[in-house]
Every structure is written in structure tokens, then in C-alpha cells.
């Protein structure tokens, strides 16, 4: 038993922090949750579960379970016995152990939970197994509920050693080929993921089943040593079945065919068929060859083998998200062009530079006269201002007609309507991503009113925040005028007469505000004098510079308070089959995976 003791010591070595870095571990866990959420959605809606989705889910669960096992303190050797229904798994377990531990039944699907039979254990090893199986809870095998899969079977540690001659846990597992097997597939995967040796029990009638080879092909990259037991195989057919099975193995897997032990039907009075000793010897030999320190390499191979398949639906979704970002960017760029056309470059709507000139008029007031004129304007235009306010309350839409705020609001509405139309067209023509685009279209419609309202509030705040830029332009013009005393004095002399004319016009027209006739003559006079003076070129540059700064500010308004909210819509929309994994998260995981590949 010296070799067995050596094997035991090697297998008890702790795996430390495991084969994966933190970014990779977190990504794998997150990806599994996404697949599970999609799986629950398909089950809830009664939709068919595509074969590639099922395979990706099972292989991803197996990867996370194997990773979990390798990061725990190791326990004695683990043998997992797998196979389809009626293959005789429980009987093979009893022959390996040398006693009747597992309950054999002629009923298909009788075993529905992983069931462990432990020998030569210590307390820490048992607690390790319990931690690994969480949230499943241990129960005596006789007390496992048939329809409740929140448990796994685990008997108290048995005294002595089994027929295998070393401390070991042998796991009986549910089938993987019955109609109900999807319901308890999790227990099977948990038992496979912790195994140091897989014993695949097949029969003459089941060895060629597709479900068998799908499972064997899926677990191949893990590199778990295997042993095939051809149970219930007549001696006359054994050679033919072994040859056929070997050929099938070469077709489905790239590694060498494992040892195959054929066992005939159990005789009526026999406790075990001929050939059991060969089965036990083969299992014992493979256990001696087990090298746990190299198991992380198998997990890394498994991750690399399945990586692109796992990420295929994620990349499809990310392609749709990139298309959405491009669409939003193109539509917001169009919004900037609309704003420039309908406001900045519009001969009647653009008023920002006029406000700067109005501010300049105030700066040009003649000392001693300015205060009197200002008070006179306030007194004489007060009735008109009240009438104007009443008119705005009566027809609020007319007050803002053609104003910057109106243009901004209409442009934002144009953006939302354009996006909804384009999203609907994309969804109609899409195949793989149609549900994603349909969900996005619904969310766009639901959020439109709120988005427009929030943007309008941001636009009002922008208008207030931009006022200092208007004042800055007026002061820059005034400072430049200070360098030309003749022009400045001419403007100041004209300022009094234009103000008097403005007051008269204001009384008769009732106009108020920057677009009204109260200040229009003054601004017209000022504009004419400035453009015809030596400062004409500077005034033009000041007007263009103000317009440029305003265009930049509005572009930022569109980006920060419209585009940014639109780009977040896919993350917030109700979409149960979505992954929503950022590209940088995947890239960080791939860097760690590439790093472990180089070090291995």
C-alpha cells in the first residue's frame, strides 16, 4: 500500500488560489449568471432551448465548478461514476467499493442526486466537500426527496478502506439522457467537476447514444483520467462492441482511448460478474497516476476550448450595442447641424450676439445720464412688460417661437423620433439581434417624454450658464473700443439720441425683450457704427467667436444630456436574455487567460 499512501499525500496538496486571476474568475461567474437568466427566461416563456445555448451553459457551469474545486483545500481522491439510464452505475460502484453501498434499481431515472460514499476521511475533508457543494445541502441518501434537487447525498464516513484499497469518495450520479435529466443536470456537473477519475458505465445498447458522446466530448479538454466499463455486455459481443467503441472514441475525441473493461450480465445467483477484479485494478492504477498539481492546466485548456463559443452571443450583442452607439452618434451629429441651421445661422432666430450688443449699450452709457435713462426705461416700459408677460401666459408657445430653447427642444424631439424609426427598421431586418432591437425600441418609446423633459431642463440650465460668455463678449468689445477714443465718443454721443428714440418706439409698439422694438433702433445704430468704423473686422471676429463657443456648448449639451442617456438605454432596458457585459471586462479576462496560457 505504499504507492497508495504516496498517491494520497500528493492528492491532499492544496491548490492554493487556483489557476485563474480575479478578473477571469469574476467574468466566468458573471457570464454564467447571464446564461442562467436567459435559461430561466426561456423556461418561463416556454421557448425552445437551443442546443448551443444548453451546451454553453453546461460547459460554463462545469468550468466554474472545476475552478471552485481547485481553489479549495484538497480532499482524498474522488471517483465519479457516470452513464446513461439503465447502464448499471450503482452496481459498478458497489463492485468498486466491495460492498452494497449504492442502491440499484431497475427504474429509469431512479438516482436524481449526486451521492457520495466516503472512506478514510477526516473532518476537514468532509467540510471541504460540503463547502464545494453549497448551496446544495448534504442529506443521508435514504432521505433524499425525489423532486427536490437542493440536496446531495452523503453518508457518514465509512470505517476501513474500500476494495480499491485507499481513502476515496465514489460518487453515484444522475443520468444525462432521460427526459427529466435537464432538471437535475446541476448535480451531475458538480460530481464531474470534482473528480480525479471518471468511470463511464455504458451498455451494449447505450454506448453509441448521442447524449453519451456529447458529454464525453464536452469534458475532454479537462483531461480527467477516464475508464470505460462496458456493463451488461455478452462475452460473444464484447470484442465487437469494444472495437466499435474505440472507433467512435477516435471520431469524437482527440485523446487516446481509455482502458475499457467489459463485464457480462450478472448471473442469477452471482454477486458480481467476471472481470470485476480487472475493473478494480484499472481504477486503482489510474488513481496512482493522478497528478493534481497539473489539473489547473486541464481547466485552462477547457477555458480556451470553449471561450469563443461562450462569447458568441455576447459578441453578437456587443455588435448590436456598437451599432446603437454609431446610430446615436450619427443622429446627434445631425442634431448639431439642425441647431446650426435653425438657430446659429438663421437670419431671424439668432439673437445671442444681439444680447452682447445690448450689454455693450449699457456699458456705453454716458456718466451722469445713464442712471436717469435706465430708470426712465424701466418706468416707461413697465406696463408693456406686464402686457408681454400676460401674453406669454396666454400663449406660452408663441413666446418661444423661434427662440433657442424652442429650437433645442424641437431638435431633441427630432432625435428621439428618428432613433425610434431607425431602430424599428433595424429590428424588422435583423435575425439574431431582433429581440434586442425590439426591446430597445420599446424602451425608447417608454423613455421619450422623460428624456425630452430632462433635456429641456438641461437646456435651460445651459442658457443661464452661457450668459457670462455673452457678457464676456460685450466687455471685450468695450475694451477694444477704449483703444479707439474717437469711435467710443461717437458711440456715446449717439447712445443718448438712440435711447430716446427707443423709448418713444417702445411706448407706441409695446414691444419688449431682445427681439422687440424697444432696443432694436439702438442696436441697429450701434451695429452700423461699429461695422463702419475701424473695428469692423474685430466685431465680425467677436461675433464668430461667440457663435463658435455657443456651438461647442450646445454640442456638449447634446452629448452630456441626450446622447449619454441614450447610450445607457441598453443597460437599463428590461431584457431577460441580455448579457450587458462591457468590452473592457472581457478584455481583462482574456488578458489573464492569455497570461495563464503562457505560464503553463
Amino acid at each position: 500500500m505504499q504507492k497508495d499512501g504516496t498517491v494520497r499525500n500528493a492528492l491532499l496538496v492544496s491548490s492554493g488560489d487556483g489557476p485563474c486571476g480575479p478578473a477571469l474568475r469574476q467574468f466566468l461567474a458573471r457570464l454564467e449568471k447571464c446564461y442562467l437568466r436567459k435559461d430561466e427566461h426561456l423556461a418561463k416563456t416556454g421557448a425552445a432551448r437551443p442546443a448551443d445555448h444548453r451546451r454553453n451553459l453546461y460547459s460554463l457551469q462545469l468550468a466554474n465548478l472545476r475552478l471552485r474545486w481547485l481553489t479549495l483545500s484538497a480532499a482524498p481522491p474522488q471517483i465519479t461514476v457516470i452513464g446513461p439510464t439503465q447502464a448499471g452505475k450503482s452496481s459498478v460502484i458497489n463492485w468498486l467499493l466491495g460492498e452494497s453501498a449504492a442502491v440499484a434499481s431497475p427504474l429509469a431515472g431512479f438516482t436524481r442526486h449526486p451521492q457520495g460514499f466516503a472512506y478514510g476521511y477526516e473532518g476537514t475533508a468532509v467540510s471541504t466537500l460540503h463547502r464545494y457543494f453549497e448551496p446544495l445541502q448534504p442529506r443521508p441518501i435514504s432521505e433524499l426527496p425525489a423532486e427536490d434537487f437542493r440536496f446531495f447525498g452523503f453518508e457518514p464516513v465509512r470505517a476501513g478502506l474500500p476494495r480499491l484499497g485507499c481513502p476515496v469518495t465514489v460518487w453515484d450520479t444522475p443520468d444525462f439522457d432521460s427526459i427529466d435529466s435537464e432538471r437535475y443536470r446541476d448535480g451531475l456537473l458538480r460530481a464531474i467537476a470534482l473528480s480525479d477519475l471518471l468511470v463511464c458505465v455504458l451498455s451494449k445498447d447505450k454506448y453509441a447514444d448521442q447524449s453519451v458522446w456529447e458529454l464525453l466530448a464536452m469534458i475532454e479538454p479537462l483531461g480527467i483520467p477516464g475508464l470505460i466499463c462496458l456493463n451488461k455486455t455478452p462475452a460473444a459481443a464484447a470484442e465487437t462492441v469494444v472495437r466499435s467503441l474505440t472507433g467512435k472514441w477516435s471520431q469524437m475525441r482527440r485523446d487516446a482511448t481509455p482502458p475499457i473493461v467489459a463485464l457480462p450480465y450478472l448471473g442469477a445467483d452471482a454477486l458480481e460478474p467476471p472481470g470485476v477484479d480487472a475493473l478494480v485494478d484499472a481504477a486503482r492504477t489510474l488513481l496512482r497516476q493522478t497528478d493534481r498539481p497539473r489539473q489547473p492546466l486541464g481547466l485552462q485548456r477547457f477555458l480556451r476550448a470553449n471561450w469563443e463559443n461562450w462569447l458568441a452571443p455576447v459578441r453578437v450583442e456587443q455588435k448590436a450595442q456598437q451599432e446603437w452607439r454609431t446610430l446615436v452618434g450619427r443622429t446627434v451629429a445631425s442634431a448639431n447641424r439642425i441647431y446650426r441651421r435653425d438657430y446659429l445661422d438663421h437670419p431671424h432666430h439668432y439673437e445671442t450676439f444681439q444680447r452682447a450688443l445690448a450689454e455693450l449699450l449699457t456699458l456705453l452709457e454716458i456718466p451722469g445720464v445713464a442712471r436717469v435713462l435706465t430708470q426712465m426705461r424701466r418706468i416707461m416700459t413697465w406696463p408693456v412688460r406686464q402686457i408681454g408677460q400676460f401674453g406669454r401666459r396666454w400663449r406660452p408657445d408663441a413666446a418661444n417661437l423661434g427662440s433657442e430653447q424652442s429650437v433645442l427642444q424641437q431638435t431633441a424631439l427630432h432625435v428621439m423620433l428618428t432613433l425610434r424609426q431607425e431602430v424599428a427598421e433595424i429590428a424588422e431586418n435583423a435575425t439574431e439581434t431582433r429581440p434586442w432591437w425590439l426591446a430597445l425600441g420599446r424602451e425608447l418609446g417608454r423613455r421619450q417624454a422623460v428624456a425630452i423633459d430632462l433635456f429641456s431642463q438641461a437646456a435651460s440650465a445651459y442658457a443661464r450658464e452661457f450668459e457670462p460668455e455673452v457678457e464676456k463678449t460685450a466687455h471685450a468689445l468695450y475694451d477694444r473700443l477704449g483703444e479707439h477714443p474717437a469711435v467710443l465718443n461717437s458711440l456715446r454721443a449717439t447712445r443718448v439720441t438712440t435711447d430716446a428714440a427707443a423709448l418713444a418706439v417702445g411706448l407706441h409698439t409695446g414691444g419688449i425683450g431682445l427681439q422687440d422694438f424697444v432696443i432694436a433702433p439702438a442696436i441697429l445704430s450701434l451695429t452700423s457704427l461699429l461695422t463702419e468704423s475701424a473695428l469692423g473686422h474685430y466685431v465680425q471676429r467677436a461675433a464668430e467667436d461667440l457663435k463658435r463657443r455657443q456651438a461647442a456648448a450646445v454640442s456638449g449639451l447634446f452629448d452630456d444630456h441626450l446622447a449619454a442617456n441614450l447610450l445607457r438605454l441598453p443597460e437599463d432596458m428590461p431584457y431577460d436574455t441580455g448579457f450587458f457585459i462591457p468590452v473592457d471586462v472581457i478584455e481583462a479576462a482574456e488578458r489573464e487567460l492569455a497570461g495563464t496560457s503562457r505560464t503553463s
Side-chain angles (χ1 to χ4, degrees), residues 20 26 75 91 94 103 114 152 169 174 188 190 209 298 337 349 384 394 399 422 462 487 514 525 529 562 567:
C20 299
Q26 293 169 12
S91 297
N94 291 334
V103 178
F152 70 98
T169 301
L188 170 67
R190 287 178 184 271
D209 282 6
R337 291 193 296 272
H349 295 169
V384 179
W394 183 255
E422 295 208 30
Y462 138 78
V487 179
L514 291 170
S525 300
L529 287 169
L562 193 59
L567 292 175

Side-chain angles (χ1 to χ4, degrees), residues 365-378:
E365 296 281 12
I366 300 175
V369 181
R371 182 176 302 177
V372 176
L373 289 174
T374 301
Q375 291 177 351
M376 289 178 62
R377 283 199 299 272
R378 289 177 180 174

Side-chain angles (χ1 to χ4, degrees), residues 426-439:
I426 293 173
E428 185 178 354
N429 298 318
T431 53
E432 290 181 301
T433 57
R434 178 176 297 173
W436 191 91
W437 287 106
L438 289 174

